[in-house]
Amino acid sequence: MRFARYFLLFFGVVLIARASLAQTTVSSASQATAWTASWGASQQIPEPSNALESEELRDATVRQIFHLSLGGSALRVHVSNAFGTEALHVTAVHIARPVSPASSAIDPASDRPLTFAGKPDVTVPPGAEFVSDPIDFPVAPLADLAITFHLDAPPARETSHPGSRATSYYAHGDAVGAANLSDAKHIDHWYQISEIDVQFTPDAASVVALGDSITDGHGATTNGNDRWTDVLAQRLQADANSKQIGVSNQGIGGNHLLTDGLGPNALARFDRDVLGPAGARWVIVFEGVNDLGALARNGDAPPDAHASLVARIIAAYEQIVARAHAHGLRVYGATITPYVGSDYYHPAPADEADRIAVNQWIRTAGHFDAVIDFDAVVRDPQHPDRLLPAYDCGDHLHPSPAGYKAMAEAIQLSLFAR
């Protein structure tokens, strides 16, 4: 009996100790943080008209400004050489708070150097990217961040995001910590930076927007941050239930689902651009108008070509859904917006019929996890094959800032509930 009492007493102490340890572990986990993409942009080879001259990047400082979605206590930066053909040596990378999105000036008191494996420089292999060491650098939601890097030699081939809708600055010499880049040249493209992650609570996550120029923001205001993804980020941060959610814009102007155009096709870039962003949990698929428009851009196509294209677009969507689900992401399909009247594609009735067929498939239950009906938001009720004039940037293909705002406001934030 005495042995039994001792055994029970000992067993009880062990259970109490284990319960106490478990409580401590849970408490510690609740205080933990996670990395989440707060800003992102798809990388590509810039067209010759969007690339910098090679000599402009010899012994050059490049300063770029990025608009974050989610805030955090620390951050890290992805330097990309995804399309480089040789190793890229970056001699220094600094971060700082910019004075204005439309200026190369920074607050010098905020300037901090980044390190890579403890060193100030980094050599990125061809086809790769390097993530900086984490740095304590609190940033507010929807804040701007300046990233400045110096190259001793130009990339053999640039890795870029031409559709930045933001101004970048470059000058010769090493001036990564300069308060302003005097006599700097400027260009409205981004180079060699693919993502900015912030450290937030473990429930933080990111929405990835996979799309073409309408997601990239053609028609948005340069340095105005009024793409539909920007407005969505604002709405998420304004709602107490979604302040832990960031937005990663993975739109490429001219991009296709099925073929390489401007940037790799959507299926080819899926792993890097959708599965790659830190904390990705949802993907909005809003792509296909370039596939539809290109079919008969230079002349009529036979009916079987139209039927084949619709089938292949749907098959691509199915591939995206399957691959996203395999990695635990929820997938939301966005309907393709009207483009009759476009001078670039000048769609005929057969092309509009293809768009209607694709949208009908998107809207059908059981295909995507949910539907975001951008078509219904921006179309003209009197002419549903056209954009509403108030939402048309003027080319009858891309929405205006007002159209982008309406699109973002139509997205139910409940889609991003845990």
Side-chain angles (χ1 to χ4, degrees), residues 344-370:
Y344 186 75
Y345 284 132
H346 39 81
D351 304 300
E352 174 62 7
D354 293 345
R355 187 182 73 90
I356 291 171
V358 171
N359 281 348
Q360 181 179 354
W361 187 91
I362 292 171
R363 292 185 179 107
T364 300
H367 294 155
F368 287 100
D369 294 315

Side-chain angles (χ1 to χ4, degrees), residues 221-242:
T221 309
T222 299
N223 300 318
N225 299 308
D226 51 12
R227 312 163 188 83
W228 70 263
T229 53
D230 297 318
V231 181
L232 174 60
Q234 294 165 16
R235 294 186 62 221
L236 290 167
Q237 291 303 312
D239 190 311
N241 296 318
S242 57

